Amino acid sequence: MKQTAIQTATNFYPVPPINAAVRQSIKSVDAETRHRIYDRLLMLLSNSQIKAKNTEAVLPYILHPKTKETLRSEHDYSAADIAQLEGQIINDAEYLSDYEVIVRAPAALYYEYKRTGETDLVFDSRIVPLPNTVLNALICEELQKEFARKTLLRCDGFVEVRAADERGIVHKSIRLDVSGWIIKNGFMLPIYCGGLITALRIFRHPRDERPFRLKSRPGGVYL
């Protein structure tokens, strides 16, 4: 069952390390695909929403579910096409005088910037909080609606893990490879080159002077 694949119990464990020679033979995704994966990941982690300034009401959705269904059935839109369209709507909403875009911000970083009046930097730099165990699972499931499993696993930062349910049946799933101990105060920042997101930089806390680039660690444990 789907629920057993995202349970938060400690019976998750990483796939055994891949032989170094085999790992070198696995080609990474091309630059454009990597950008699309990271761009969509950042959007999911930020949970961007549009709010009406006069009423303070948050719009319940960007595109109505029936609109999405029509786009899929009558216009052959894929999940990636719809996600891109929603992203364009959110970007356009930033310039509307009656609306504003709100995002999920890293709490520790937000309060750090609030003291200096620089909270806009969180939004402008697309800084997002690291996902907890459940959000990690849900976001990776959402990404698999738009990208193939093999494609995600060829992109730095994603690993395959396994979980045994109460019946002892092992389920394979994909996770973003981040360690549990840095989730509370940690956050990630996109790195751009030529207009494309080429990597994600991980900060353990707001004053981290030695951030590291997100990678898929052989046998890495993120819990």
Side-chain angles (χ1 to χ4, degrees), residues 9 13 33-34 55 58 60 62 97 103 118 142 173 183 192 221:
Y13 55 92
T33 301
R34 182 186 301 108
T55 64
V58 176
I62 306 300
S97 58
V103 297
E118 299 176 297
E142 191 66 25
S173 53
I183 288 174
Y192 289 88
V221 179

Side-chain angles (χ1 to χ4, degrees), residues 14-27 153-154 158-160 162 216-220:
V15 171
I18 300 175
N19 180 279
V22 174
R23 178 169 291 279
Q24 289 178 359
S25 68
I26 299 176
K27 295 182 179 179
L153 291 174
R154 285 166 51 200
F158 294 90
V159 293
E160 184 178 80
R162 299 171 182 175
S216 302
R217 296 168 294 169

Side-chain angles (χ1 to χ4, degrees), residues 81-94:
D81 293 331
I82 293 175
Q84 183 177 10
L85 180 57
E86 289 186 317
Q88 291 173 350
I89 293 173
I90 289 172
N91 290 335
D92 291 342
E94 296 178 32

Side-chain angles (χ1 to χ4, degrees), residues 57-172:
V58 176
L59 301 186
Y61 41 73
I62 306 300
L63 285 174
H64 192 282
K66 291 185 177 179
T67 301
K68 293 183 182 181
E69 182 56 37
T70 300
L71 291 173
R72 283 191 290 263
S73 61
E74 298 184 14
H75 301 281
D76 296 323
Y77 271 55
S78 65
D81 293 331
I82 293 175
Q84 183 177 10
L85 180 57
E86 289 186 317
Q88 291 173 350
I89 293 173
I90 289 172
N91 290 335
D92 291 342
E94 296 178 32
Y95 304 99
L96 298 177
S97 58
D98 294 333
Y99 296 89
E100 65 178 330
V101 178
I102 57 176
V103 297
R104 181 191 293 119
L109 182 66
Y110 171 78
Y111 290 113
E112 185 77 15
Y113 277 148
K114 190 173 182 180
R115 293 190 304 102
T116 59
E118 299 176 297
T119 53
D120 285 349
L121 290 176
V122 177
F123 184 85
D124 295 339
S125 302
R126 298 193 70 184
I127 299 173
V128 296
L130 299 178
N132 60 26
T133 305
V134 174
L135 185 57
N136 195 337
L138 292 174
I139 283 178
C140 287
E141 284 196 359
E142 191 66 25
L143 286 172
Q144 288 178 77
K145 296 177 183 178
E146 304 168 35
F147 305 96
R149 288 176 58 88
K150 289 183 179 179
T151 300
L152 289 174
L153 291 174
R154 285 166 51 200
C155 183
D156 262 353
F158 294 90
V159 293
E160 184 178 80
V161 297
R162 299 171 182 175
D165 61 22
E166 65 278 0
R167 298 168 296 174
I169 299 175
V170 175
H171 301 267
K172 295 181 181 179

Side-chain angles (χ1 to χ4, degrees), residues 158-218:
F158 294 90
V159 293
E160 184 178 80
V161 297
R162 299 171 182 175
D165 61 22
E166 65 278 0
R167 298 168 296 174
I169 299 175
V170 175
H171 301 267
K172 295 181 181 179
S173 53
I174 293 177
R175 295 291 188 275
L176 193 65
D177 190 15
V178 290
S179 298
W181 65 273
I182 64 172
I183 288 174
K184 184 175 181 181
N185 296 316
F187 55 90
M188 67 174 67
L189 173 73
I191 301 173
Y192 289 88
C193 181
L196 299 178
I197 302 174
T198 58
L200 297 172
R201 183 171 290 152
I202 305 297
F203 291 77
R204 303 169 184 84
H205 49 79
R207 300 186 181 184
D208 188 356
E209 296 182 355
R210 299 181 63 185
F212 60 93
R213 197 183 76 172
L214 181 67
K215 288 188 176 182
S216 302
R217 296 168 294 169

